[in-house]
Amino acid sequence: METELLIEQLFNTRDLSDGELIQLLDESNPIDDALFQTADRKRRAFYGDEVYLRGLIEFTNYCKNNCYYCGIRCGNRQAERYRLSKEEILSCCKEGYALGYRTFVLQGGEDPFYTDDLICEIVSQIHHEFPDCAITLSIGEKSKSSYQAYFDAGAVRYLLRHETADGLHYRKLHPDNLNPDHRKQCLYHLKEIGYQVGSGFMVGSPYQTKENLISDLRFLQQLKPDMIGIGPYLRHEQTPFASFKNGSLILTLRLISILRLMFPYALIPATTALGTIHPNGREMGLKAGANVVMPNLSPVSVRKKYSLYENKICTGEESAQCRGCLERRVKSAGYQIVTSVGHVKKEFDHILEF
Ligand code: 5AD
Ligand code: FES
């Protein structure tokens, strides 16, 4: 079928076949403008021109895992490790609050130093000091009872990318002790508890095929996450994947558009990885259907150390600079930053509003 017609059908929420989706991912098909514009139409119907802010606090770069693509894997002896104290995390929140942030994302490697009790203490103190803010955690795979404890302490959102939905591909990206089914199970546990859940994957990770990407989309259709984060795979010298090339900007943008059309209600960030692969990558991401930006709120002294991949942007800028920079970038792309808490709009809300 004519590719432009497929895009229109996706807009009208027809579930495309695997083959049809692969057609949309074929970079020899010159469909970018049509796809991005159609996704933008969908995004504006659901979210207008609003872009939501999430303040990202990267509070530890210790990690017990050894994922082959990641610069802070435990096997990287050259990584300079750091941990933020509860007080340092709270002071990031304070600074962020003054800058208009109403969501704080606490992200870190899987670091056993932060016991469940400590995480709960940090979460509940943020919750008490900033009761009008949403607390998002992104600290990896935990037991259901741990997730429940964080939720009871005041966390309402959780980000855990599934990374790749295909079991065999997962095995190529991770050591044997990491299990794709366990990771998926975690996502379902988080949903059962009542979190707003975010998942996602890397685009162009080593050994990834177009079919793997289709599996990612199908897995997301089953999971129905509230948030979907994707970004291009970016190389890091101190990993076993140092010789693999970066993922593709265009393919990432196309997938953002496809995600917007398949999951109109979703909160989709224009990620730091997109801004790293191209100077205007985040603006392009917004125009392709993304509606969230996640500026860095970590202390400047540690930013370079949270190095998942090379040349990461925003490592030298103060939080206020990043805030201002993003405001300008979002405006130049034709949208506006809003400082509300920015919860997901489910289809039901949408019907009530329009
Ligand atoms: N390139 C791009 N993204 C990466 N991530 C980890 N390492 C890399 C890399 N080398 C992503 C993973 C993880 C998120 C926090 O960052 O998808 O879930
Ligand atoms: Fe950090 Fe532009 S967003 S400097």
Side-chain angles (χ1 to χ4, degrees):
M1 190 186 292
E2 187 81 22
T3 318
E4 304 245 341
L5 201 58
L6 280 183
I7 299 173
E8 208 49 39
Q9 296 208 337
L10 199 53
F11 182 83
N12 293 324
T13 59
R14 179 167 82 81
D15 194 9
L16 300 193
S17 69
D18 291 1
E20 289 169 330
L21 286 168
I22 285 183
Q23 212 175 313
L24 296 183
L25 296 178
D26 179 350
E27 289 178 68
S28 65
N29 270 336
I31 52 153
D32 293 318
D33 289 344
L35 184 59
F36 302 159
Q37 282 162 20
T38 309
D40 187 57
R41 242 196 308 149
K42 192 64 135 187
R43 165 259 173 60
R44 286 178 191 271
F46 269 69
Y47 283 100
D49 61 358
E50 295 188 350
V51 173
Y52 306 100
L53 269 183
R54 316 302 191 203
L56 182 62
I57 305 170
E58 296 160 336
F59 68 95
T60 173
N61 72 348
Y62 282 85
C63 191
K64 66 180 168 69
N65 295 331
N66 207 23
C67 309
Y68 302 144
Y69 47 84
C70 180
I72 63 168
R73 52 202 288 275
C74 67
N76 181 7
R77 304 281 165 219
Q78 282 157 274
E80 221 186 297
R81 305 287 171 174
Y82 73 91
R83 293 184 173 112
L84 298 186
S85 66
K86 184 176 76 177
E87 290 69 30
E88 287 172 311
I89 296 172
L90 277 154
S91 103
C92 293
C93 296
K94 200 167 170 197
E95 189 177 1
Y97 193 88
L99 292 168
Y101 295 92
R102 294 297 176 268
T103 293
F104 302 118
V105 181
L106 270 55
Q107 185 168 85
E110 290 193 17
D111 180 359
F113 173 87
Y114 296 87
T115 58
D116 286 352
D117 283 349
L118 181 53
I119 294 289
C120 288
E121 202 183 310
I122 294 168
V123 167
S124 82
Q125 198 158 338
I126 298 174
H127 188 53
H128 279 103
E129 289 191 25
F130 307 96
D132 54 337
C133 293
I135 303 170
T136 305
L137 289 177
S138 179
I139 54 175
E141 296 178 35
K142 306 278 178 178
S143 68
K144 189 172 183 187
S145 59
S146 299
Y147 287 147
Q148 183 70 55
Y150 312 150
F151 188 79
D152 296 341
V156 291
R157 302 187 188 135
Y158 204 102
L159 305 179
L160 182 73
R161 291 189 180 176
H162 65 275
E163 310 297 1
T164 175
D166 181 279
L168 291 176
H169 185 223
Y170 192 95
R171 291 261 173 245
K172 293 185 183 165
L173 302 183
H174 302 94
D176 282 348
N177 65 322
L178 293 176
N179 180 319
D181 298 325
H182 184 260
R183 199 164 181 89
K184 289 178 183 166
Q185 183 60 253
C186 285
L187 285 161
Y188 283 102
H189 284 159
L190 289 161
K191 281 202 83 164
E192 284 159 21
I193 292 168
Y195 280 97
Q196 292 175 41
V197 171
S199 195
F201 53 91
M202 285 175 290
V203 180
S205 57
Y207 309 108
Q208 185 180 62
T209 62
K210 292 268 158 59
E211 286 71 21
N212 293 154
L213 288 168
I214 303 305
S215 305
D216 290 321
L217 298 175
R218 299 298 178 213
F219 171 68
L220 292 171
Q221 282 182 313
Q222 283 169 18
L223 179 69
K224 299 187 180 60
D226 304 285
M227 290 113 36
I228 307 173
I230 67 167
Y233 161 75
L234 298 170
R235 69 183 287 283
H236 190 295
E237 185 67 35
Q238 292 146 14
T239 66
F241 287 163
S243 59
F244 284 89
K245 62 180 192 344
N246 288 344
S248 143
L249 168 70
I250 289 297
L251 193 58
T252 309
L253 294 173
R254 284 196 188 188
L255 278 155
I256 288 178
S257 292
I258 291 170
L259 289 168
R260 170 59 61 208
L261 291 165
M262 289 174 74
F263 308 91
Y265 60 84
L267 291 159
I268 302 177
T271 53
T272 308
L274 257 186
T276 299
I277 202 171
H278 188 285
N280 294 325
R282 286 170 298 178
E283 290 90 322
M284 295 177 192
L286 293 171
K287 288 184 181 170
N291 62 342
V292 170
V293 287
M294 299 175 71
N296 204 319
L297 262 186
S298 314
V300 174
S301 58
V302 303
R303 286 195 192 180
K304 274 200 172 43
K305 299 177 190 163
Y306 201 84
S307 163
L308 307 180
Y309 45 78
E310 282 165 17
N311 304 317
K312 191 171 159 220
I313 52 169
C314 300
T315 55
E317 284 75 12
E318 291 294 341
S319 298
Q321 284 175 294
C322 271
R323 173 69 175 84
C325 168
L326 269 173
E327 180 99 47
R328 285 191 295 280
R329 286 173 184 273
V330 168
K331 245 192 210 132
S332 79
Y335 308 94
Q336 53 158 335
I337 283 187
V338 291
T339 53
S340 71
V341 71
H343 284 313
V344 70
K345 289 189 188 177
K346 279 291 162 64
E347 273 157 291
F348 183 57
D349 302 339
H350 169 68
I351 291 162
L352 284 180
E353 274 177 37
F354 288 86

